[in-house]
Amino acid sequence: MVELRAISAKILETVYDEMLLRVPEGERSDFIRDAIVEKLQKTPKADKILELEQRMERMEKEFSEIRKYLASLELLTYERGKTNPHTFAIDDTDNKIIDFLSHYKGATTPELADYLKTNRWLILNRLRRIQKTSRKQLGKPIIDYYAGEKSGKKKAWWINEELVEP
């Protein structure tokens, strides 16, 4: 049998009057006991909070390890195999763009448009598509745009030497 303890509590007179109206005389102790138990069930235990904090810390450590492993795998992917940039070309125009970038290591959009005798917007869209598909497949783009000055060119597209096979 569970041992019961007597407690005393001070409550507002309006709450007491409401309890007198709603709860019959012989059931008030049970009502108060049930109310306290219900409230305690909704209140988290201090041990549970501590346990949850520890679990969160462990999960954060594990996630950081997973991120570290993914980063190292990405680096291994870049170091292991170099890629043929022509695999991202869909037609002759893309192949010519890649050939020009491979030969000169970089070019501006107008230079490529003059070389291919076509619209520079077409060239720009092709460069962006090659960049996007290579980023999806390799994790890094095979060609990059650099707005600053590099090798005497400003606002030019450059082939990523790390990823290209010789």
Side-chain angles (χ1 to χ4, degrees):
M1 182 95 183
V2 178
E3 188 178 332
L4 298 175
R5 301 280 176 142
I7 62 167
S8 66
K10 292 184 179 184
I11 58 173
L12 295 173
E13 189 173 346
T14 55
V15 174
Y16 180 73
D17 291 340
E18 189 71 27
M19 187 178 69
L20 290 177
L21 289 174
R22 292 184 183 202
V23 182
E25 191 172 326
E27 298 176 14
R28 290 184 189 144
S29 288
D30 291 336
F31 177 80
I32 294 170
R33 189 179 313 111
D34 291 342
I36 292 171
V37 168
E38 184 180 322
K39 183 69 174 181
L40 283 174
Q41 287 175 345
K42 291 181 181 178
T43 306
K45 295 179 184 176
D47 294 342
K48 280 288 186 188
I49 294 172
L50 180 63
E51 181 184 327
L52 288 172
E53 286 177 354
Q54 290 171 346
R55 280 184 69 191
M56 288 294 291
E57 286 176 19
R58 278 194 314 250
M59 288 174 62
E60 287 173 357
K61 286 179 185 176
E62 289 172 2
F63 281 133
S64 67
E65 286 181 34
I66 290 171
R67 284 190 204 119
K68 183 181 77 175
Y69 292 137
L70 287 175
S72 67
L73 284 174
E74 186 176 90
L75 290 174
L76 289 174
T77 303
Y78 300 141
E79 291 169 5
R80 268 193 210 149
K82 302 233 178 196
T83 305
N84 181 357
H86 290 282
T87 57
F88 302 104
I90 57 169
D91 62 4
D92 194 44
T93 305
D94 287 354
N95 282 318
K96 287 180 182 177
I97 290 170
I98 291 170
D99 286 338
F100 191 89
L101 287 174
S102 297
H103 185 264
Y104 294 104
K105 306 296 182 222
T108 62
T109 310
E111 286 175 341
L112 287 165
D114 287 343
Y115 172 71
L116 295 171
K117 297 180 182 15
T118 187
N119 181 352
R120 71 181 185 91
W121 290 104
L122 172 77
I123 301 297
L124 179 64
N125 289 335
R126 296 295 182 99
L127 289 165
R128 286 181 178 161
R129 187 191 49 73
I130 292 168
Q131 182 184 35
K132 183 180 172 184
T133 55
S134 63
R135 182 180 289 130
K136 269 186 182 176
Q137 290 181 18
L138 302 174
K140 270 188 174 178
I142 198 94
I143 56 172
D144 263 329
Y145 177 76
Y146 182 66
E149 187 169 341
K150 181 178 174 182
S151 300
K153 295 182 185 206
K154 285 186 179 180
K155 299 182 179 180
W157 290 85
W158 301 93
I159 196 137
N160 191 340
E161 297 293 328
E162 299 172 0
L163 301 174
V164 178
E165 59 186 24

